[in-house]
Amino acid sequence: MRLGSGAFATICVAIEVLGVAIFLRGFFPASVKSSSRTGLQAEPPAPEPLAGASSNWTKLPLPLFSKAVIVLIDALRDDFVFGSKGARYMPFTTYLVGKGPSHSFVAEAKPPTVTMPRIKALMTGSLPGFVDVIRNLNSPALLEDNVIRQAKAAGKRMIFYGDETWVKLFPKHFVEYDGTTSFFVSDYTEVDNNVTRHLERVLKRGDWDILILHYLGLDHIGHVSGPESPLIGRKLREMDGILMKIYTALLTKERETLSPSLLVLCGDHGMSETGSHGAASAEEVRTPLVLVSSAFERKPDDIRHPTQVQQTDLAATLAIGLGFPIPKDSIGSLLFPVVERRPMREQLRFLHLNAIQLSRLLQENVPSYEKDPGFEQFVMAEKLHGNWVKLHLEEDRSGALLNLGTKVARQYLGALRTLSLALSTHVAQYDTYSMAVGTIIVLETLILLLLSIPQVLRRRAELEVPLSSPVFSLLFYLMFLVLSAIHVVVCTSAESSCYLCSLPWLAAGGVMVLVSALLCVIASAFARMVMDSTFLRKVQQSAAHPCSGWSEVGLLLLLGTVGHVLSLGASSFVEEEHQTWYFLVNTLCLALSQETCRSYFLGDDSKLQCYFHTEPGTVGATCMRQDCTACEAPKAGQASKGLPSGARGGHTRWAVLAGPWLVLACCRLLRSLNHTGVQGAHRPDLSHWLTSPSHRMELSCLAALSLLAVFLLAQRGCSPVVKVALALGLLGVFCYRAATGNLLFPWQPANRGISNDSAMGRACFCYALICSVPVATYIILVTSLRYHLFIWSVFSPKLLYEGMHLLITAALCVLFTATNQTGHTSAWTKTDARN
C-alpha cells in the first residue's frame, strides 16, 4: 500500500488529534451532574420520613434570614483574617470572629484556584475542572443549577457590584449591577472604589434581598507586589471598614424588621508567597469563611475556633438559610453550626434534605452506589429519623426523644461527610484507561513519523505500508485479539465509569484496530530502515571513521533533553520542574569544566585530532567534522581561534576555565533568591529577606545598583540620544517602584507610609515617562537626520535595533519584581550586549 507524503502527513495528524482527544477525555472526566434538567419546574422537596404513616411536613422550611450580604474579597488568605495580619489590620473582623455573633471556618478551595471556577464552586456547590481555567478568560453563562438561579426563581431581588465575571456567569439575574474588569492588575484603588461608592446608597434602601460585592484590589496587590507588600495592610484595613459599615447597616434594618440578616465574608482563593494563585499550595487553597448574624448568639465564655470545611459547603448552607432548594449538582454539606440553635425537628429536616440531595446525586453517577458507606449511613439515618418523627408526633417528651434526635443528627452528619467525600473522589478520579489508550496512539504516531522522515520529506516521496504482508498480518491479528481481551477485562472489572467502555463495541473495536495497525506499520518501517543498504553503509563508514562517535558533553545533552521531556509526563515533576533544570545545568557545567581541564592541562590530543588535522603549508588547523568535510582553514598570518591550547593568551585560558564555575556560582545565587514550586515556595529565601519592610533600604540600594549595571552594559555602542533616553527610562522604573512602596528614595524615611492617591499619581506619571521615552527617542533620531535621508532612516536596521533594544530593556525592568530585577535583568542585558 503506497501513500503520498501529503496524504501520509494528513493521516498522521488526524490520528494524533484522535489520540489527544481520547487522552483529554480521560484527563478531564465528566463532572458529577444530576439527570434532572435545570430548566424544568422545580421538583417538590422530599417529604419528612415517618415510620408507619405519611408525613405532614412536605414543604421547604421557612428561611432563616431575610437578607444576605456576600462580601467576596479576591485572594483573601485565611491568615489575613485569622492570623497576625488580621489582628493588626482588621480589628473589627477579629472582634466578630472572637467575640461577636459569628461562625468562622477555613474553607478549602480545590484546584484550579482561579476566580471563575471558584465562583462556580461557591454558587453551585460542584467541583469545577481544569478546563474551566480556559473559560476564566471569557466566562460563558452558567447553565448548572445554582443559588443565584434559585433566588431568581423565588422572586428575590439581587444587586451586584464588582468583578464582571459574575455578570457573565449570571446574565439577567441582577436587578442592578456594576461590573469592573479584573485585567488591569496594577490598579488596586479605583477597582475597589467603583464597588464601595454604591454601598451607602444601597444599604439605606430596603428593596433588595441579596447583595453581592466582589473586591479585586487585594488580588491585584498580590500579583504586583506579593503578600508581604506594605499595601496589603492598607487594603485589609480598608476592607475592615467596609465590613463594619455593612454590619452596622444590617443591625439598623433588623431593628425595624425584627428578622435576622446574614453577612458572609469569604475569599475565592488564596495567595501564594509570590503573590500568584492557580496551584494547590496551602496558601492558595485555604480561604476564610465567616458567617455573621444576630441569630448566632454567643455566650461570653463561648470560644469558637475556625474549623476546616470545603468551599462547596457554602452553596448548600446559603440555600437552606434563605429557603431555596439545594442546587442539584452540589456535593457540599450543610454547615451545621448555622442551624444548631434551631428546634430539633428543623435541624433534622435540614439535614435530611441535604442527605436526600447527595444520595440522589450518588445514585445517578456511581453505578455501585448501594455499596458506598455514605449511602448505607444515610439509609440508617433515615430509618432512625422516621422513628424520631413518630415519637415526636405522639408528643413523647421524655429524654429518650432528645437522645434519639442527637443520635440521628450525628448519623446524618457522618453520612453527609462520607457522601460528599465519595462524590468529590468520583469527580477527581482520572479515567486511566482512556488516558493510556490515547497516550499509546500519540506515541505510536510520533514514532512512525520519526522513522518515516527521510522518505516523507522528499518531494514526490511515497511511503510503502506493507500491511498485506503475511508476517505483519499475523502480528496485526494477534495484537487485535490481545487488545480486545484487555478491553473486555478492563470494562468488566472497572468500578468507576470509563469513556472507552461506554462506547459501542463497534467504536471500541475500531480503536483497537487502529492501535494494532499502527504497531504493524512501525515494525515494518523499523525493519525496512535496518535492512536498508544505504543505512548499513553509513553505519559502517561511521564506525570506521576515527572522528565518529558522541562526545561526553553531546551525550549528556541528548540524555538530559530526553530525560527532561520524560519528566514532564508526571504532574509532580511539572510542579517542580526547576529542580530538573538545576540538576541538568549543574551537571552540564561540571562536564564542561572537566572537558576544558582535560584539553588544557592533561594534553588529551586524541579528541583534538578528531576535530583538527594539520595540513602542510597552513598556519593553524583544518577542522574535520563528523561527516568528514573540511572546514575553511585559517589563512596565513592570522591567529588560529580554533585551537584550544597554545594559540591564545594565558588570561583567555583561565577565563575559559573559570566560565563553568562562574555559571555555577550564579545559578546557586539565583536558586537562593527565589524558592519556587509547591514544596519549597514557603521556605525563606533572599527574596523574603529583601521584601520585608525592615530591609527596604537594602533592596533599594541593590535595585539602584542593578539598574546602573543595566545602563552601563546596554548603552555600549548606542547613540548619545539613546543613552539619555535609556537613563531616563531606568530612572522612571526606580521612581515607579518607589511610588508603589516597594523601594525607597535616599531622602525618604523607611517607616513613612504612602497614601493611595499619591501612589497612584506617581505610578501613572512613571508609567507615562517609561512609555514615552522610546517614542520620543525615535522621533528625535528621525528628525535629526537630513530630509533626503528620512525614508532611509525609518528603515535603518541600526535605528530599529537601538529602539527595540531600549524598549525591551525598559519593559523587562518594569515587569520584573524588584528582587528579581537585581538577579536576572543584569545577566540578560549582559548577554544581549555581547550579542
Side-chain angles (χ1 to χ4, degrees):
M1 179 180 180
R2 292 182 176 272
L3 291 175
S5 59
F8 178 75
T10 304
I11 293 174
C12 288
V13 171
I15 296 175
E16 284 279 357
V17 172
L18 176 63
V20 171
I22 294 176
F23 176 85
L24 292 179
R25 182 59 180 82
F27 188 76
F28 298 119
S31 59
V32 173
K33 291 185 178 180
S34 174
S35 59
S36 57
R37 296 180 59 184
T38 307
L40 300 178
Q41 188 175 1
E43 299 178 359
E48 184 181 47
L50 181 63
S54 59
S55 173
N56 60 349
W57 195 355
T58 57
K59 297 182 179 180
L60 287 174
L62 295 177
L64 306 178
F65 312 105
S66 59
K67 292 181 181 293
V69 179
I70 302 175
V71 180
L72 193 154
I73 303 177
D74 211 292
L76 184 65
R77 290 190 344 192
D78 62 325
D79 59 331
F80 287 176
V81 176
F82 305 135
S84 59
K85 284 187 174 66
R88 181 179 179 183
Y89 301 114
M90 304 185 74
F92 178 73
T93 306
T94 303
Y95 163 77
L96 290 178
V97 170
K99 300 180 180 179
S102 66
H103 292 292
S104 304
F105 309 92
V106 176
E108 181 183 356
K110 299 294 185 182
T113 50
V114 291
T115 297
M116 193 279 284
R118 293 301 96 216
I119 296 175
K120 183 178 177 182
L122 287 169
M123 294 295 104
T124 65
S126 61
L127 285 180
F130 282 92
V131 70
D132 290 311
V133 176
I134 303 175
R135 299 176 182 174
N136 185 61
L137 303 176
N138 187 18
S139 306
L142 187 59
L143 302 179
E144 299 178 27
D145 192 15
N146 55 79
V147 175
I148 302 298
R149 175 175 294 182
Q150 295 287 358
K152 183 182 180 182
K156 302 294 183 180
R157 295 175 58 86
M158 293 173 289
I159 298 178
F160 170 76
Y161 303 115
D163 187 358
E164 61 183 1
T165 305
W166 289 76
V167 182
K168 297 178 181 179
L169 287 175
F170 310 106
K172 301 179 181 180
H173 285 72
F174 304 109
V175 296
E176 182 180 330
Y177 62 88
D178 185 10
T180 58
T181 182
S182 60
F183 287 98
F184 295 105
V185 294
S186 59
D187 174 25
Y188 53 85
T189 303
E190 295 298 328
V191 71
D192 287 346
N193 291 342
N194 288 333
V195 178
T196 309
R197 64 191 175 98
H198 301 283
L199 262 185
E200 188 173 356
R201 173 177 53 86
V202 172
L203 291 176
K204 291 180 180 179
R205 293 159 39 188
D207 58 344
W208 55 270
D209 301 296
I210 299 176
L211 173 64
I212 303 176
L213 308 173
H214 189 153
Y215 286 93
L216 290 167
L218 186 68
D219 178 65
H220 290 184
I221 294 175
H223 283 296
V224 174
S225 305
E228 301 300 329
S229 170
L231 300 175
I232 293 289
R234 289 193 284 273
K235 181 58 65 175
L236 292 177
R237 190 177 289 113
E238 176 188 347
M239 296 294 103
D240 191 60
I242 292 172
L243 291 172
M244 180 187 294
K245 180 186 297 185
I246 296 174
Y247 181 72
T248 305
L250 290 179
L251 286 182
T252 303
K253 288 291 183 181
E254 288 181 11
R255 296 190 186 99
E256 300 175 0
T257 60
L258 300 179
S259 58
S261 302
L262 176 65
L263 171 61
V264 179
L265 170 64
C266 61
D268 55 347
H269 51 75
M271 182 190 303
S272 68
E273 291 299 328
T274 59
S276 62
H277 55 87
S281 64
E283 293 80 7
E284 295 171 88
V285 301
R286 292 171 61 90
T287 63
L289 176 59
V290 183
L291 307 179
V292 185
S293 176
S294 59
F296 307 147
E297 298 178 359
R298 178 184 292 192
K299 299 179 181 179
D301 57 345
D302 187 4
I303 300 177
R304 303 172 181 173
H305 298 285
T307 56
Q308 183 88 16
V309 297
Q310 296 298 317
Q311 199 178 56
T312 52
D313 297 339
L314 181 62
T317 305
L318 284 177
I320 288 177
L322 298 175
F324 309 145
I326 300 176
K328 297 181 179 65
D329 300 331
S330 172
I331 64 172
S333 57
L334 170 66
L335 299 176
F336 186 69
V338 176
V339 300
E340 63 182 355
R341 294 188 179 275
R342 306 295 297 179
M344 180 59 70
R345 189 177 185 185
E346 291 187 20
Q347 294 183 30
L348 299 182
R349 177 64 170 157
F350 293 139
L351 294 173
H352 178 252
L353 290 173
N354 193 187
I356 279 285
Q357 179 261 328
L358 290 180
S359 64
R360 289 177 178 174
L361 197 62
L362 186 74
Q363 295 177 36
E364 295 169 358
N365 290 273
V366 179
S368 57
Y369 68 92
E370 295 179 351
K371 301 178 182 179
D372 188 82
F375 187 80
E376 295 176 355
Q377 286 181 287
F378 162 70
V379 173
M380 179 62 67
E382 196 173 34
K383 291 180 180 179
L384 294 176
H385 190 186
N387 295 332
W388 186 92
V389 172
K390 182 179 179 181
L391 293 176
H392 177 76
L393 295 179
E394 293 175 356
E395 298 184 355
D396 186 352
R397 296 294 181 264
S398 62
L401 184 64
L402 179 60
N403 294 334
L404 181 59
T406 305
K407 181 179 179 180
V408 174
R410 286 199 303 265
Q411 189 78 12
Y412 268 133
L413 290 174
L416 290 176
R417 285 192 297 267
T418 310
L419 287 171
S420 179
L421 180 61
L423 290 170
S424 302
T425 305
H426 181 77
V427 172
Q429 188 174 8
Y430 296 110
D431 186 356
T432 310
Y433 181 50
S434 299
M435 292 172 61
V437 173
T439 304
I440 292 174
I441 293 176
V442 171
L443 291 178
E444 286 182 337
T445 309
L446 289 177
I447 294 173
L448 181 60
L449 283 172
L450 291 175
L451 294 177
S452 306
I453 282 177
Q455 292 80 20
V456 173
L457 293 183
R458 298 174 185 172
R459 185 178 298 179
R460 299 180 181 178
E462 290 184 347
L463 181 70
E464 185 175 355
V465 185
L467 287 178
S468 58
S469 173
V471 177
F472 293 107
S473 297
L474 178 60
L475 176 62
F476 169 75
Y477 291 125
L478 289 176
M479 284 302 304
F480 176 72
L481 292 176
V482 171
L483 293 178
S484 300
I486 294 175
H487 180 74
V488 172
V489 172
V490 171
C491 293
T492 54
S493 61
E495 296 182 356
S496 58
S497 59
C498 177
Y499 173 69
L500 287 179
C501 296
S502 63
L503 293 177
W505 279 101
L506 186 61
V511 174
M512 303 305 147
V513 168
L514 177 62
V515 175
S516 304
L518 286 175
L519 181 63
C520 293
V521 174
I522 290 173
S524 172
F526 184 75
R528 180 178 294 275
M529 184 183 67
V530 172
M531 297 172 62
D532 191 358
S533 59
T534 305
F535 176 77
L536 291 177
R537 192 181 308 114
K538 288 184 178 180
V539 171
Q540 293 173 0
Q541 293 176 357
S542 177
H545 200 282
C547 297
S548 64
W550 288 86
S551 65
E552 295 178 359
V553 176
L555 187 61
L556 178 63
L557 289 173
L558 176 63
L559 296 179
T561 303
V562 174
H564 177 250
V565 172
L566 294 178
S567 69
L568 298 179
S571 59
S572 300
F573 281 101
V574 173
E575 294 173 351
E576 307 293 337
E577 184 183 0
H578 55 283
Q579 300 289 353
T580 306
W581 280 111
Y582 293 155
F583 174 77
L584 293 177
V585 171
N586 294 341
T587 307
L588 180 61
C589 290
L590 292 176
L592 289 174
S593 178
Q594 178 192 8
E595 191 78 14
T596 53
C597 289
R598 186 167 54 189
S599 300
Y600 281 114
F601 294 103
L602 300 182
D604 188 4
D605 296 333
S606 60
K607 183 176 293 187
L608 299 180
Q609 291 176 0
C610 178
Y611 299 99
F612 300 96
H613 178 67
T614 303
E615 296 289 345
T618 62
V619 179
T622 302
C623 175
M624 301 299 294
R625 296 181 182 175
Q626 292 185 3
D627 57 357
C628 299
T629 59
C631 300
E632 181 181 358
K635 296 181 181 180
Q638 293 182 349
S640 175
K641 297 183 180 180
L643 289 176
S645 59
R648 295 191 180 189
H651 66 281
T652 305
R653 173 184 298 183
W654 288 107
V656 172
L657 292 174
W661 297 99
L662 181 61
V663 174
L664 281 175
C666 293
C667 290
R668 189 65 187 89
L669 177 63
L670 294 178
R671 185 173 180 178
S672 302
L673 185 64
N674 283 310
H675 284 164
T676 59
V678 177
Q679 303 296 331
H682 63 281
R683 299 173 183 171
D685 50 24
L686 292 179
S687 178
H688 288 81
W689 186 84
L690 289 173
T691 54
S692 62
S694 59
H695 299 106
R696 274 196 294 169
M697 184 57 69
E698 290 83 351
L699 178 61
S700 303
C701 295
L702 287 176
L705 291 176
S706 66
L707 291 175
L708 180 60
V710 168
F711 173 75
L712 294 176
L713 293 170
Q715 56 85 28
R716 293 183 297 180
C718 296
S719 60
V721 178
V722 173
K723 294 181 180 180
V724 175
L726 180 61
L728 291 177
L730 297 181
L731 180 62
V733 173
F734 189 91
C735 294
Y736 168 72
R737 302 289 184 200
T740 56
N742 294 322
L743 302 179
L744 295 174
F745 289 111
W747 59 85
Q748 182 180 351
N751 56 355
R752 186 174 71 87
I754 302 176
S755 63
N756 289 337
D757 295 335
S758 64
M760 180 61 65
R762 283 193 248 174
C764 292
F765 171 76
C766 296
Y767 256 118
L769 175 63
I770 296 169
C771 295
S772 62
V773 163
V775 178
T777 304
Y778 186 81
I779 295 175
I780 293 174
L781 288 174
V782 169
T783 55
S784 63
L785 300 175
R786 296 179 180 180
Y787 179 78
H788 68 279
L789 296 177
F790 178 79
I791 302 298
W792 175 86
S793 65
V794 173
F795 300 98
S796 173
K798 185 175 185 300
L799 183 60
L800 290 177
Y801 171 77
E802 290 185 357
M804 291 299 298
H805 185 248
L806 171 62
L807 183 61
I808 292 175
T809 302
L812 286 179
C813 291
V814 172
L815 294 177
F816 275 125
T817 60
T819 53
N820 291 337
Q821 176 183 300
T822 61
H824 294 78
T825 311
S826 298
W828 173 86
T829 310
K830 183 176 181 180
T831 305
D832 183 76
R834 286 185 174 180
N835 294 334

